[in-house]
């Protein structure tokens, strides 16, 4: 991720379940200096900033959130004058999302932006009035968030990365990088419906490719850690890292895989930049920029029910060559040639 994207984190209004009072103070200070947003006129006519509440299960602002902010700036919005961002993150705790969503409603945000399936469902349960814009969702129709891509209905629209559709290709690319791949571990949160659906897709894809998917559904962080501690390199040849960060599963996998020299394949490049071997999936920053355009339409008076859901057009294939070398892997030149980005 470019340096400037890291630096803007300090300008976000960030808070977790353990720091609610601190967030409240920070949000009020900003709003006292610039006023509360009311009315439905265009952004250029507003005298007060739009309050955008970002709901995520992560540990802080995500690449989607950075892309959202960058996209709004590119559209001509001035931060702290025409919009403010409040990021509500629950540190991998899915059970905290409903309360977090209700708090955003209570604080009077004008638009809620979510990442991943669980935050979007929590926002949907919290309000039928405030516009919701999601990003990084696999199946918004199947989740009951929208009626159709063309006419979402209700107060929700957004951007999807079609993760389920890309999962078979992701496993195929993993096999191309690691030709000896036979048994692949997929550790996931059993309470996450999207992860359960993804496990089925991976299972079918593995069968077609002549591989075995070693499925490990878990329900707590302790169970996730214990499962990985009992997994040896001889038991599996590689690990599929879920994009969803509930129970801190990606973090545990990256730590364990580096210690035991097990190849890892991710859905997004965020984890490749932090020690995974490779990724194949949507580019999260770009999805955030797409979400900004939908926010702009809502600000200008469009109803979420009538704004078609967009599909992210950019699929990114990233390889961490340093990790490959540390694993003793020699990646075929034709595979390296197809990579959109190589981390050396």
């Amino acid at each position: 991720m470019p340096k400037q994207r890291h630096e803007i984190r300090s300008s976000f209004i960030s808070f977790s379940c353990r720091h609610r009072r601190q967030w409240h103070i920070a949000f009020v200070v900003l709003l006292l200096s610039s006023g509360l947003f009311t009315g439905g006129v265009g952004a250029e006519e507003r005298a007060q900033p739009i309050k955008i509440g970002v709901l995520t299960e992560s540990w802080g602002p995500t690449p989607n959130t950075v892309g959202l902010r960058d996209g709004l700036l590119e559209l001509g919005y001035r931060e702290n004058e025409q919009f403010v961002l409040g990021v509500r993150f629950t540190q991998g705790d899915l059970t905290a999302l409903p309360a977090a969503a209700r708090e955003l409603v209570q604080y009077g945000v004008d638009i809620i932006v979510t990442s991943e399936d669980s935050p979007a469902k929590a926002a949907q349960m919290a309000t039928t009035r405030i516009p919701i814009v999601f990003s990084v969702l696999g199946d918004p129709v199947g989740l009951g968030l929208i009626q159709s891509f063309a006419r979402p209905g209700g107060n929700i629209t957004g951007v999807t990365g079609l993760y389920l559709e890309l999962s078979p290709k992701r496993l195929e690319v993993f096999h191309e990088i690691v030709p000896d791949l036979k048994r692949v571990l997929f550790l996931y949160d059993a309470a996450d419906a999207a992860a359960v659906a993804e496990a089925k897709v991976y299972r079918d894809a593995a069968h077609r490719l002549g591989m075995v998917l070693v499925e490990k559904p878990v329900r707590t962080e302790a169970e996730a850690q214990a499962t990985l501690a009992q997994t040896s390199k001889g038991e599996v040849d590689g690990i599929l890292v879920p994009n969803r960060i509930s129970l801190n599963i990606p973090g545990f996998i990256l730590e364990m895989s580096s210690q035991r020299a097990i190849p890892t394949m991710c859905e997004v490049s965020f984890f490749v930049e932090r020690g995974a071997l490779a990724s194949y999936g949507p580019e999260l920053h770009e999805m955030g920029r797409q979400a900004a355009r939908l926010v702009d339409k809502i600000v200008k008076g469009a109803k979420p029910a009538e704004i078609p859901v967009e599909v992210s057009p950019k699929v990114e294939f990233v390889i961490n060559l340093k990790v490959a070398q540390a694993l003793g892997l020699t990646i075929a030149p034709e595979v390296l040639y197809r990579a959109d980005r190589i981390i050396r």
Side-chain angles (χ1 to χ4, degrees):
M1 187 182 300
K3 183 178 180 181
Q4 61 269 25
R5 296 188 194 171
H6 289 289
E7 293 173 343
I8 68 166
R9 178 168 178 168
S10 62
S11 69
F12 278 37
I13 312 153
S14 307
F15 65 109
S16 68
C17 296
R18 304 170 189 173
H19 299 91
R20 294 175 186 171
R21 182 176 178 82
Q22 294 177 1
W23 180 88
H24 178 72
I25 293 172
F27 209 22
V28 170
V29 167
L30 269 180
L31 296 178
L32 284 175
S33 65
S34 47
L36 292 172
F37 160 72
T38 57
V41 296
E44 69 280 357
E45 301 175 34
R46 297 184 189 279
Q48 300 162 333
I50 308 155
K51 292 186 292 179
I52 301 174
V54 178
L55 182 63
T56 172
E57 64 198 56
S58 75
W59 273 253
T62 63
N64 313 64
T65 310
V66 177
L68 172 69
R69 177 186 182 271
D70 289 350
L72 290 171
L73 294 175
E74 290 166 6
L75 289 168
Y77 288 84
R78 296 186 299 276
E79 192 171 12
N80 298 335
E81 294 181 29
Q82 293 178 313
F83 77 94
V84 290
L85 288 174
V87 183
R88 181 68 165 90
F89 50 93
T90 64
Q91 299 181 331
D93 185 358
L94 296 183
T95 64
L97 286 168
R102 290 192 297 270
E103 287 179 3
L104 287 177
V105 174
Q106 177 185 345
Y107 282 123
V109 298
D110 304 299
I111 299 174
I112 297 176
V113 177
T114 71
S115 63
E116 297 302 341
D117 308 76
S118 297
K121 287 296 292 184
Q124 182 187 40
M125 290 188 296
T127 179
T128 58
R129 176 184 58 85
I130 299 172
I132 298 169
V133 176
F134 61 72
S135 66
V136 194
L137 279 163
D139 184 11
V141 176
L143 286 169
L145 290 168
I146 60 173
Q147 296 173 12
S148 70
F149 276 52
R151 296 187 67 83
N155 61 321
I156 304 177
T157 187
V159 182
T160 178
L162 298 178
Y163 280 98
L164 288 181
E165 289 80 357
L166 292 174
S167 295
K169 181 63 176 179
R170 184 176 305 112
L171 187 56
E172 181 181 329
V173 171
F174 197 11
H175 187 254
E176 292 176 348
I177 297 173
V178 187
D180 294 333
L181 201 65
K182 296 297 181 184
R183 294 176 58 83
V184 186
L185 173 67
F186 184 53
L187 180 73
Y188 61 94
D189 185 349
D192 188 337
V196 173
E198 189 171 33
K200 182 183 184 305
V201 175
Y202 276 138
R203 187 187 315 134
D204 294 342
H207 179 73
R208 289 194 302 272
L209 292 168
M211 293 187 285
V212 175
L213 185 71
V214 181
E215 297 181 54
K216 298 287 185 179
V218 295
R219 295 188 176 277
T220 65
E221 285 194 13
E223 188 179 357
Q225 284 184 298
T227 299
L228 287 170
Q230 297 165 7
T231 302
S232 65
K233 185 175 181 180
E235 181 183 354
V236 298
D237 307 307
I239 303 175
L240 290 163
V241 183
N243 180 47
R244 295 158 187 86
I245 59 173
S246 59
L247 307 183
N248 195 27
I249 290 173
F252 293 144
I253 289 176
L254 292 183
E255 181 179 7
M256 171 268 204
S257 62
S258 64
Q259 293 171 350
R260 302 186 188 179
I262 301 176
T264 48
M265 170 58 101
C266 307
E267 300 178 14
V268 294
S269 61
F270 179 86
F271 300 121
V272 184
E273 294 163 353
R274 288 155 180 80
L277 172 61
S279 67
Y280 182 84
E283 209 281 312
L284 298 186
H285 182 266
E286 178 59 30
M287 293 186 75
R289 291 177 67 247
Q290 281 183 263
R293 294 195 290 271
L294 300 186
V295 168
D296 177 55
K297 291 180 180 180
I298 293 171
V299 168
K300 291 176 177 175
K303 297 179 180 179
E306 300 172 357
I307 302 175
V309 170
E310 296 185 7
V311 177
S312 175
K314 186 175 181 180
V315 176
E316 187 180 38
F317 175 28
V318 180
I319 296 174
N320 191 322
L321 201 57
K322 292 189 296 184
V323 172
Q325 292 168 347
L327 292 171
L329 283 174
T330 300
I331 302 176
E334 58 270 23
V335 176
L336 288 173
Y337 179 77
R338 296 206 317 270
D340 297 286
R341 183 155 56 100
I342 297 175
I343 299 173
R344 300 181 185 276

